[in-house]
Amino acid sequence: MNEAELRAALTETARRTASHGLNKGSSGNVSVRLREGFLITPSGLPNDALHPDQMVAVDMQGQSLGSLKPSSEWRTHRDIYRARPEVHAVVHAHSPHAVSLSCLRRGIPSFHYLVAAAGGKDIRCAGYATFGTQTLSDAVLAALQDRRACLMANHGLAAVGATLDAALSLAVEVEELCAQYWRAKLMGEPVLLSDAEMDEVLERFKHYGQRGDDRQDA
Ligand SMILES: [Zn+2]
């Protein structure tokens, strides 16, 4: 995709974080890799009323072009693109169930096989740090080790992918897993899948590939 197409796709993804109920108002942010840097949603503008011209280009030194300020979490996005060459899109959300679970500073254990959609046997919760800081970025990167999603303590969730669609659908899936885990915990202690059972799911996901619809079919 060229830059104009990426701007349009990023705008559409930010709108979908609103329509999917992941982000309300101007909370959260979305980015996509562009050449030597990335495009990211602007700071403080509502997700459901963005325009492609408002997407902010940021380089790997953190310099941005244009009059609008990039999202305050640009540093986390930059550091993910630096550390993870396979990642081309990042979705960050303050979705209600992920936020609730993150406030307990608890990740999601292997209570459901789709936890493996994030790439491992659990989905970690990154330690707390003030938004926009290097400390927060470092914590998120550590929680994303060998994973494509994590919770962020007292904050929300982050999901990454090879495409905007993949990162968004994983963010939706993680929010849903948080809601399901919460409901199961209300009724008792969920029975967790064993390491061997999760290994089998992870192996099957490799065989199926990365497509979310394949996983949902299972
Ligand atoms: Zn945030």
Side-chain angles (χ1 to χ4, degrees):
M1 281 200 260
N2 62 33
E3 180 170 343
E5 289 165 337
L6 285 173
R7 283 177 176 275
L10 183 59
T11 306
E12 180 56 27
T13 304
R15 286 194 183 137
R16 283 161 66 195
T17 66
S19 62
H20 287 334
L22 294 179
N23 280 325
K24 287 184 178 160
S26 62
S27 73
N29 39 70
V30 188
S31 72
V32 65
R33 199 188 277 276
L34 171 71
R35 295 188 298 267
E36 300 303 306
F38 56 97
L39 289 169
I40 190 166
T41 44
S43 181
L45 297 182
N47 289 300
D48 56 0
L50 290 172
H51 189 272
D53 293 342
Q54 295 171 321
M55 302 300 110
V56 184
V58 182
D59 68 20
M60 286 306 196
Q61 283 67 50
Q63 302 297 315
S64 60
L65 299 170
S67 55
L68 288 173
K69 283 202 311 190
S71 158
S72 54
E73 294 298 0
W74 65 266
R75 193 183 301 276
T76 301
H77 293 248
R78 190 268 313 267
D79 293 349
I80 290 171
Y81 292 126
R82 262 191 188 156
R84 302 276 296 264
E86 83 283 11
V87 170
H88 288 262
V90 178
V91 170
H92 166 53
H94 297 181
S95 51
H97 295 92
V99 168
S100 301
L101 198 53
S102 82
C103 292
L104 303 176
R105 303 202 179 180
R106 229 183 244 181
I108 311 173
S110 57
F111 82 104
H112 191 287
Y113 79 92
L114 276 173
V115 164
K121 297 176 187 176
D122 59 4
I123 297 173
R124 303 183 191 103
C125 183
Y128 179 78
T130 308
F131 74 94
T133 59
Q134 187 63 52
T135 313
L136 178 59
S137 177
D138 293 346
V140 170
L141 233 64
L144 282 175
Q145 181 77 39
D146 302 320
R147 300 285 188 280
R148 291 184 291 273
C150 69
L151 303 185
M152 298 160 64
N154 306 79
H155 189 150
L157 70 83
V160 305
T163 64
L164 282 164
D165 281 351
L168 178 65
S169 84
L170 182 56
V172 169
E173 201 152 279
V174 171
E175 168 62 10
E176 193 56 33
L177 287 166
C178 290
Q180 291 159 347
Y181 182 53
W182 165 65
R183 284 189 211 107
K185 287 285 280 183
L186 282 181
M187 292 188 290
E189 200 51 44
V191 177
L192 301 185
L193 301 179
S194 68
D195 273 5
E197 285 166 333
M198 287 302 279
D199 277 334
E200 202 175 323
V201 176
L202 286 162
E203 192 54 39
R204 287 204 173 214
F205 279 3
K206 261 189 234 166
H207 173 69
Y208 284 144
Q210 305 300 327
R211 287 173 49 225
D213 49 349
D214 284 341
R215 292 195 301 264
Q216 292 292 5
D217 285 349

